[in-house]
Amino acid sequence: MRFSKMLIPTAKEAPSDAVLPSHIYLLRAGFIQSVGAGLYNFLPLGKRSLDRVRQVVKEELDAAGCLEVDLAFVTPAELWRESGRFEKYGKELLRFTDRKENEFVLGPTHEEMMVNLVRQSVKSYKQLPLHLYQIKTKFRDEIRPRFGLMRGREFLMEDGYSFHKDEADMKREFDHMEATYSRIFTRLGLDFRVVEADSGAIGGSGSKEFMVLADSGEDTIVVCEGCDYGANIEAAVRAPKAAPEYEEGEAPEMSEGEFHTPGVTTIDALAEFFHLDPHHLIKAVAKKALYDEGKEAIVLFFIRGNDELEETKACNAVGANELIDVSEEELRAAGLTPGYMGFENLPEEISYRIDKELRGESDLIMGANREDYHRIGVTVPEFGDIFADLVAVQEGDCCARCGGRLHYTKGIEVGHIFQLGTRYSEPLGATFLDENGKSRPFVMGTYGIGVSRLLAAIIEQHHDDRGCIWTRESAPFDLEIIVSNIANDTEREAAEALYRTLSAKGVAVLLDDRKERFGFKMKDFELIGIPLGIVVGKKLAEGQVELIVRDGLERLDVAVEAVADEVLKRV
RNA sequence: CGGAGUGUAGCGCAGCCUGGUAGCGCACCUGCUUUGGGAGCAGGGGGUCGAAGGUUCGAAUCCUUUCACUCCGACCA
């Protein structure tokens, strides 16, 4: 392609609302254009990169035995009612009616549609396993779209769904997809980590996320420095937290009873009051849990004084759709005493959970559910269905697998794989006949890659202060040839010859033949970030051109006759 | 949805407080010069100042309403 014939509107300045390098550079280099909150147009360069990334995804999935399909974008609300997600998915689901007042939604994900497709055409275990996928625009009416392609409302996603006769085969496919996705992200030149994850709104048992490591990532992930354990903070686990080390006889011991603690309502104050490490205190965190059909309830979570509540875990522990903050007034109205809450002598209708690390622990202090009093010498029961993992792993905690130190890092979620089980096949009545002629629901897996988000993730990880640095398989072109002075016929003709030779050999070349000065074209080359550049300029008089590697901006002088081979070695 | 903020040319901004009919830089168009690091000179085009209503002889500016967008929280590929 010739630059002079392309539409590549590069800009010196970015809109002031762009913060992330990926957002700024994709806009400035003319890859995308903003049209509204979370909505983007892909311009020619952006479309080329998107297509190449999409191609990598498709090649690997096809090689892994998956079948590409393309489902309707507009989906009948009826299907969503059948699965019970029409209400549950919430406002993110864009709903509308057609002229006959029939309700539809714009597909944010396609479990229902895919199960519907399969239940109509697959009847026997002999047709299993089956893995169908599509690479298609999705729409989610995000509460707060931001960061350019990172979190748009409309985005390109690969979503795959696998159907199996049993759990074991579904797990086999799950591992197979972990390997396949890893190959995709490796080909795209990404530094990523596969981590344990929470299953979220999709539902199901086990799930893993593919996180591209980048400081600007929206997710906090916990990684072990000793082994390859990694998990989203929402699902991370640790070895039980050890008590502080004490000298002989210094460990706290206390008799049971109530203690007058006027005005001592925070963990810090309590620790100071008793001269105790917060490890021995029990913190009560109150939340309001929201359930289906507008039901709500106040729930208390009890954790160690030196721990923090992890909301996703807490939410799962009580089976709620969502947890929200609750005010002091609401607590008092429910018969609770803020600042002095404990799990003994609670009003009957208040439900609670205790962090599992506190199970059977003794010599603890917690609120007495009475103004100005705490209970001391508390022992947590050994049994009951009130225990759950509730706390956020902290930096410096120990790995449950190897005992190594755990650290936080930031990641961009670019892929997520789920072991779904029968979460959708059962309510939607999607069954097959097994070897014994018995009707059974499909055991499913589901898999997703944020294809358009990948473009942002690639730039987050591969850029410098001058612009984008595309990786080999994500770049819109393999090579850019810059004609230093287009008015110089010798230079122009040499560049044209190279352009023809390399294009004929299958290299995707962008020829910058614009009537601009050298510096201007160089800046654009650096901003756009095509991996390789050739400058045809002054050194042509000595029979040489300059080869530039965008990553690091290394330059080498190469003889004109040799440069094509040099390029072919590198693409 | 809760809190904060911004809407003036394609982009970045000034003008608003103290009303007098819109300006700067970049980009764009024409011509000449220039051609190894975002050129110079000369000329030119483009904005119902987010929208609606009000106050006033007169509103980008003051008042009211509304919409959009951005930022901080809960959501997610």
Side-chain angles (χ1 to χ4, degrees), chain A residues 499-520:
Chain A
Y499 173 59
R500 281 192 302 271
T501 311
L502 285 162
S503 298
K505 293 200 187 272
V507 179
V509 188
L510 180 65
L511 175 67
D512 193 343
D513 57 345
R514 290 174 301 170
K515 193 170 173 278
E516 295 288 351
R517 295 163 65 94
F518 173 76
F520 188 90

Side-chain angles (χ1 to χ4, degrees), chain A residues 16 110 128 215-216 233 241 275 308 316 353 377 379 456 477:
Chain A
S16 54
H110 279 88
L128 301 177
D215 293 337
S216 55
I233 185 83
K241 206 170 201 167
H275 302 288
E308 296 298 330
N316 291 341
R353 292 289 183 281
T379 298
F477 290 93

Side-chain angles (χ1 to χ4, degrees), chain A residues 70-92:
Chain A
D70 197 356
L71 305 188
F73 182 38
V74 172
T75 72
E78 194 45 42
L79 274 177
W80 286 76
R81 289 225 169 76
E82 256 188 272
S83 72
R85 284 209 295 182
F86 189 72
E87 299 304 329
K88 192 163 184 167
Y89 211 89
K91 293 198 180 119
E92 244 171 74

Side-chain angles (χ1 to χ4, degrees), chain A residues 31-157:
Chain A
F31 281 74
I32 57 170
Q33 190 180 56
S34 161
V35 273
L39 304 174
Y40 291 89
N41 290 333
F42 280 79
L43 303 182
L45 280 184
K47 175 64 173 151
R48 288 183 71 102
S49 277
L50 190 65
D51 282 351
R52 292 191 78 177
V53 169
R54 179 198 177 110
Q55 184 59 24
V56 170
V57 173
K58 177 171 169 56
E59 280 172 19
E60 292 297 334
L61 288 177
D62 288 350
C66 310
L67 304 173
E68 189 173 10
V69 294
D70 197 356
L71 305 188
F73 182 38
V74 172
T75 72
E78 194 45 42
L79 274 177
W80 286 76
R81 289 225 169 76
E82 256 188 272
S83 72
R85 284 209 295 182
F86 189 72
E87 299 304 329
K88 192 163 184 167
Y89 211 89
K91 293 198 180 119
E92 244 171 74
L93 201 55
L94 187 69
R95 304 135 197 251
F96 57 94
T97 53
D98 67 5
R99 62 169 78 197
K100 294 178 199 156
E101 300 292 311
N102 289 322
E103 285 186 288
F104 290 91
V105 307
L106 278 190
T109 172
H110 279 88
E111 281 79 8
E112 286 81 359
M113 287 286 281
M114 203 61 91
V115 171
N116 182 49
L117 182 157
V118 168
R119 73 179 170 185
Q120 290 181 38
S121 47
V122 178
K123 292 289 160 207
S124 160
Y125 73 94
K126 291 176 197 164
Q127 293 168 281
L128 301 177
L130 180 66
H131 185 138
L132 301 175
Y133 76 96
Q134 59 174 348
I135 299 174
K136 198 175 179 72
T137 298
K138 301 286 182 295
F139 190 90
R140 294 185 188 170
D141 200 358
E142 293 276 345
I143 305 159
R144 193 150 88 80
R146 63 188 130 171
F147 300 147
L149 293 185
M150 200 74 96
R151 179 183 294 284
R153 289 194 291 175
E154 186 181 311
F155 57 98
L156 189 67
M157 174 173 157

